[in-house]
Amino acid sequence: MSVTESDDSPVSSRESSPVRGFYSEKRPIYQDIGCQPLDAYDAILPKWRAAIRRKLVATVHEESKIIAKMQDYIRTPWLDTYFVYTSSLGTHTFFMTFLPALFFFGFAETGRGLLIVLALGVYFSSFFKDLICSPRPFAPPVTRLTIGTHHLEYGFPSTHSTNSVSIALFLFGHVYLLAAEEAISSQTYTLMCVGLVFYTFSIVFGRLYTAMHSFTDCVMGVLLGGGIWWAHSSFPGIPISVPSSSLQIYVARGLGIGKMVEDWVTQGGWEVPLILIPLCLLAVNQHPQPVDDCPCFEDAIAFGSVVLGALLGKWGVSYAGVDGRTPVVMPGSGWHWDHSLRQWTAVDRGLEDVLLWWSMAALKMVVGILTIFAWRILAKSLLHVVLPPTFRLLARAFRLPNRRFYTPATDYKNVPSEFAHAGGLRPIPSVIDLPGSAGVEVGGIGSGSGYSWGGRQSARDIKSRSEKVRFESPLSKSMTGVEDDEDWKDEDEDVKHYDADVLTKVTVYAGIALLACEVLPVMFDVLGWGVKSWVDV
């Protein structure tokens, strides 16, 4: 594969785009994830996994040509900007940034449902990605548009499609029930449904438009997302009458497994944590090992741990009887506690009440997020000190499980401290790190393609960047990069996976969920800040 450059044309893997190109004096080409020689995958993967992968790679090869032709026909600067940025609305990053607010403001049941559906989508899509090791559409011929680091993962299936479909169906279930109870008008119901369809289309089609996924990736993602929602949901179904019969069929009736699990958690004893914790560790241990160093595993264990923390927190408050506490309504909500009647009474809201409510809302968000950040930094730092020597001690007694690309504790002295980061403290956890800081990659790894939106603010906000990703072939100790830039080599060698990181992530993210879902809401009630803005009748 070769790429030519000239002074009067953008570096591109296909015909020039209808907008001004991005020029790069030095664009080394590195091998995309999932694109090592076929022998590398055949040598490591079991035969059945390798066979499935070969069929998918052939499909991706053909679909890449179709996607490239589609891009030639429909790409415009405005659509590029739209689909690149709306892709962030289908990420687990987006949802994990805003999910804590549902728990802080009294929508715990909805938040827990969204959290579990989202987590299952991330885990199972990551599971299949590392299981099959299928590449994304090849660049060239496609021109890849991306924000964040999702291009560093395998392609099959599309996590964006999985998340968007499962979340849209989850929200549709709530909207449908509201309409059935006449809590919202038919016009509002129709508008909400149209909005959910438009959202899902923007995310799923956007993965094709940006060439981040093939058609097969997206179809599998849609099916996976729908299946996860169906299994988890207690949706009663949409009744459809059979013609010439009194029989009714309920379409899309959920299995209700989520409700069964929550009932078991809230009513169970110590068997709940004794079952949930080993199940989480088993899910971590049994996650497939990929051929390339794919970050899917880290997302999977983070979300599995978040579910563990949320369920353990729910069990804890139920077991201790804390969930039966007298609710505290947020100040400024239009409710006043009558001490003589021992109940909340409605009062008229004025401007001062509105300002007070928003002030308390902002205070809760700031305190909640800072508490989560503090936990993450302190817990991670402590575990990085405690776990490595513990692992080395246990390694003397028996062989510890170890994952490819993760260095065992016997091969290193310590893990770099959070407080020794070059730029100071590492600011936020990776799973709730906003993707904008990573910039935008235009053109895939090896595509040599550049693209600029030109002229406006977006041209300054959206940046083109070439990749600094290298993968070690299992058939050779040499790296597959075309160029060996010493500066890049030093930078890459600083990035390292430690075996202590796995259990650290499990503990840290389980703790984050425990704090956000249960501890902080209880604290807000104790402090008199309240959680809900209404009184349940």
Side-chain angles (χ1 to χ4, degrees), residues 26 28 30 470 479 481-489:
K26 184 178 183 180
Y30 290 92
R470 299 178 296 170
M479 304 305 282
V482 174
E483 294 191 19
D484 187 14
D485 190 304
E486 291 299 327
D487 293 337
W488 291 9
K489 180 177 180 181

Side-chain angles (χ1 to χ4, degrees), residues 5 82 170 184 268 271 283 450:
E5 296 182 336
Y82 174 78
F170 182 91
I184 58 175
E271 72 275 7

Side-chain angles (χ1 to χ4, degrees), residues 36 40 44 291-293 405 470-480:
Q36 294 190 47
I44 291 181
V291 175
D292 308 277
D293 188 5
F405 303 113
R470 299 178 296 170
F471 301 100
E472 186 173 359
S473 170
L475 304 181
S476 171
K477 292 184 179 179
S478 62
M479 304 305 282
T480 59

Side-chain angles (χ1 to χ4, degrees), residues 10-240:
V11 182
S12 179
S13 61
R14 57 184 180 88
E15 294 181 7
S16 59
S17 301
V19 297
R20 292 180 295 174
F22 172 78
Y23 298 86
S24 174
E25 296 179 358
K26 184 178 183 180
R27 290 182 67 87
I29 303 170
Y30 290 92
Q31 192 162 4
D32 202 348
I33 189 167
C35 293
Q36 294 190 47
L38 289 176
D39 291 345
Y41 299 93
D42 291 340
I44 291 181
L45 296 178
K47 289 184 179 180
W48 66 273
R49 288 172 63 183
I52 295 175
R53 183 186 179 278
R54 282 194 297 270
K55 292 183 180 296
L56 280 175
V57 169
T59 302
V60 171
H61 182 267
E62 294 302 319
E63 293 183 6
S64 296
K65 301 175 184 177
I66 300 174
I67 294 172
K69 291 180 181 178
M70 181 187 72
Q71 286 185 319
D72 285 332
Y73 185 74
I74 67 174
R75 272 187 67 194
T76 66
W78 186 88
L79 287 177
D80 284 359
T81 305
Y82 174 78
F83 283 117
V84 164
Y85 278 110
T86 54
S87 67
S88 64
L89 301 179
T91 63
H92 47 273
T93 297
F94 169 78
F95 291 107
M96 288 304 294
T97 304
F98 295 101
L99 273 178
L102 294 175
F103 293 92
F104 294 171
F105 293 93
F107 300 95
E109 184 177 349
T110 301
R112 196 158 32 249
L114 280 171
L115 174 63
I116 293 176
V117 167
L118 180 65
L120 291 174
V122 172
Y123 181 84
F124 282 111
S125 62
S126 298
F127 185 97
F128 286 119
K129 283 182 178 182
D130 281 354
L131 182 73
I132 306 301
C133 303
S134 177
R136 294 180 182 271
F138 298 114
V142 304
T143 299
R144 191 177 301 158
L145 313 173
T146 182
I147 187 169
T149 58
H150 301 288
H151 57 288
L152 302 180
E153 300 177 358
Y154 294 116
F156 177 87
S158 167
T159 305
H160 276 73
S161 300
T162 302
N163 289 344
S164 61
V165 169
S166 62
I167 296 302
L169 288 173
F170 182 91
L171 296 177
F172 166 76
H174 284 266
V175 171
Y176 179 85
L177 293 179
L178 289 174
E181 297 169 358
E182 298 184 351
I184 58 175
S185 66
S186 59
Q187 293 84 357
T188 302
Y189 169 73
T190 301
L191 287 175
M192 288 182 173
C193 289
V194 170
L196 290 174
V197 170
F198 185 74
Y199 160 76
T200 307
F201 172 81
S202 294
I203 300 301
V204 176
F205 179 75
R207 305 317 286 163
L208 299 171
Y209 179 94
T210 57
M212 288 295 289
H213 285 284
S214 66
F215 293 96
T216 303
D217 297 341
C218 291
V219 169
M220 180 60 182
V222 169
L223 294 176
L224 182 60
I228 288 172
W229 169 79
W230 172 68
H232 175 271
S233 174
S234 297
F235 183 62
I238 302 174
I240 297 180

